[in-house]
């Protein structure tokens, strides 16, 4: 993928680019924020909740008294950047799929009118 728009970048209209940027800025996650949360609040699963992995976040909360989630989160600090980048790629793909759905629906309404 080249850039935040993937392979469809040159084919986007200015309205689609604006929509993409707006949605991406709302849903994407910062890798530095994720790292700090894993380092400081990782024992409670804050970084997992931040990346919208609620199941893992709840698991960390349930076992926080054992200190195992704390150790696991410190180990995860080494791979947290890649994890947040993967999350952002998923967000990008979801937005592009939504835009394709919206553009198909808009074309359908234009044909019906």
């Amino acid at each position: 993928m080249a850039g935040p728009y993937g392979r469809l970048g040159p084919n986007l209209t200015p309205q689609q680019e604006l929509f993409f940027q707006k949605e991406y800025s709302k849903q994407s996650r910062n890798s530095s924020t994720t790292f700090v949360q894993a380092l400081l609040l990782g024992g409670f699963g804050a970084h997992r909740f931040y990346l919208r992995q609620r199941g893992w976040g709840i698991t960390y909360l349930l076992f926080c008294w054992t200190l195992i989630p704390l150790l696991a989160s410190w180990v995860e600090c080494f791979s947290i950047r890649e994890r947040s980048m993967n999350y952002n790629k998923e967000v990008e793909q979801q937005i592009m799929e939504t835009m394709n759905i919206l553009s198909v629906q808009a074309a359908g309404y234009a044909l019906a009118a």
Side-chain angles (χ1 to χ4, degrees):
M1 290 192 162
Y5 306 117
R7 57 186 161 77
L8 298 176
N11 300 330
L12 295 179
T13 65
Q15 293 86 6
Q16 288 174 326
E17 287 181 21
L18 183 63
F19 176 79
F20 180 88
Q21 286 296 334
K22 183 179 172 185
E23 289 298 314
Y24 187 77
S25 65
K26 279 195 288 186
Q27 297 179 24
S28 65
R29 298 294 181 231
N30 188 340
S31 60
S32 300
T33 304
T34 311
F35 175 78
V36 170
Q37 287 182 350
L39 190 64
L40 301 178
L41 298 171
F44 301 108
H47 62 294
R48 294 293 190 154
F49 285 111
Y50 184 67
L51 292 176
R52 296 195 177 148
Q53 298 172 339
R54 292 177 184 95
W56 277 108
I58 291 170
T59 303
Y60 275 55
L61 275 176
L62 290 175
F63 292 101
C64 68
W65 60 275
T66 64
L67 299 181
I68 293 172
L70 180 65
L71 296 173
S73 68
W74 286 348
V75 170
E76 286 178 337
C77 284
F78 295 106
S79 65
I80 205 74
R81 182 171 181 251
E82 182 179 332
R83 200 174 292 220
S84 63
M85 286 174 52
N86 289 338
Y87 175 83
N88 288 337
K89 284 180 185 178
E90 290 175 14
V91 165
E92 176 185 327
Q93 185 177 14
Q94 289 172 354
I95 294 170
M96 293 304 285
E97 288 173 4
T98 302
M99 287 173 52
N100 285 339
I101 291 170
L102 291 176
S103 64
V104 168
Q105 289 175 349
Y109 289 130
L111 290 175

